[in-house]
Amino acid sequence: MAFVLSLLMALVLVSYGPGGSLGCYLSQKDVLVGRENLRLLGQMSRLSPQSCLQDRKDFGLPQEMVEGDQLQEDQAISVVHETLQQSFNVFHTEPSSAAWNNTLLKQLCTGLQQQLEDLEACLAPVTGKGDSALGGMGPILTVKKYFQGILVYLQEKENSDCAWEIIRVEMMRALTSSISLLERLGKMDGDLTSS
Ligand SMILES: *[C@@H]1O[C@H](CO)[C@@H](O)[C@H](O)[C@H]1NC(C)=O
């Protein structure tokens, strides 16, 4: 534990080093908080996934959230930010607090908020939400639609325990993707490799 703590401290200190081309401090710390959020989501599990097979659904996790290769750096950050914000919105609700262990849920929401605050410094001021005027469906809109589907699903299933279990697993996939995107951005910025 002591080792892990000192490692964390070291990484936190590193993260306050000079920012890269992004002009903000996107760093290993954000990735660590993201991993901790995933760990919490894993710990929240109450039902065996086997018991909820009948409620499975393909929510169509957007390619933008998985790969992000075709996105510019500021767009990718906006996609991660939107994913975290929407995930927070999903879990920061009354039905959610009825479904989950509130201690773990609070920690998760706090972690998501912490990530959001860190990322806010990295959001491009001009494009703002990352949807450019290129026409078609921007990446942010795609993410919004994906989460819309999740909220509709929960409503349709009347927030059943199985529905929340399915969403918990889906959110783990979404947040895993956002960590990968962050890691890739960190590498692009030379921040992760320098430590
Ligand atoms: C919630 O989770 C925490 C941490 O795992 C545990 O200590 C606590 O007993 C749980 N509470 C309930 C009501 O299950």
Side-chain angles (χ1 to χ4, degrees):
M1 192 60 196
F3 170 73
V4 173
L5 273 181
S6 57
L7 181 66
L8 273 171
M9 282 311 294
L11 289 166
V12 167
L13 290 176
V14 164
S15 76
Y16 286 104
S21 60
L22 281 168
C24 64
Y25 302 106
L26 189 59
S27 70
Q28 185 72 34
K29 188 184 111 199
D30 302 293
V31 172
L32 284 176
V33 175
R35 293 219 181 101
E36 173 64 15
N37 290 342
L38 273 185
R39 194 189 62 76
L40 285 166
L41 267 174
Q43 214 184 326
M44 281 160 67
S45 167
R46 280 175 166 175
L47 296 169
S48 121
Q50 309 304 331
S51 59
C52 297
L53 290 179
Q54 76 284 356
D55 286 316
R56 273 183 311 177
K57 181 176 174 169
D58 181 5
F59 295 96
L61 190 70
Q63 275 308 301
E64 284 86 345
M65 281 163 64
V66 179
E67 296 187 354
D69 286 346
Q70 69 280 46
L71 299 178
Q72 288 162 0
E73 201 170 279
D74 62 336
Q75 277 182 322
I77 290 188
S78 297
V79 163
V80 172
H81 185 271
E82 189 65 29
T83 302
L84 295 170
Q85 182 67 60
Q86 297 278 350
S87 305
F88 178 84
N89 292 349
V90 165
F91 284 112
H92 196 67
T93 58
E94 235 170 272
S96 165
S97 66
W100 301 117
N101 175 320
N102 284 10
T103 309
L104 299 172
L105 184 64
K106 274 200 188 110
Q107 287 176 24
L108 174 68
C109 287
T110 303
L112 287 170
Q113 257 175 330
Q114 193 181 337
Q115 272 190 301
L116 280 166
E117 279 168 24
D118 288 346
L119 274 182
E120 251 135 52
C122 298
L123 288 178
V126 183
T127 51
K129 288 295 177 186
D131 271 343
S132 65
L134 293 174
M137 195 151 85
I140 299 304
L141 196 52
T142 311
V143 174
K144 281 189 203 292
K145 289 228 154 120
Y146 164 74
F147 277 95
Q148 191 62 39
I150 281 167
L151 294 176
V152 167
Y153 168 86
L154 281 168
Q155 240 171 19
E156 281 173 359
K157 298 282 179 186
E158 294 174 334
N159 289 289
S160 72
D161 287 348
C162 266
W164 273 108
E165 170 60 20
I166 299 285
I167 294 307
R168 183 188 66 80
V169 173
E170 184 69 19
M171 289 300 93
M172 286 186 81
R173 291 180 66 209
L175 292 181
T176 300
S177 298
S178 72
I179 290 174
S180 308
L181 263 187
L182 271 184
E183 280 179 325
R184 205 169 314 156
L185 287 166
K187 284 201 181 85
M188 278 161 72
D189 233 30
D191 221 19
L192 296 183
T193 42
S194 66
S195 56

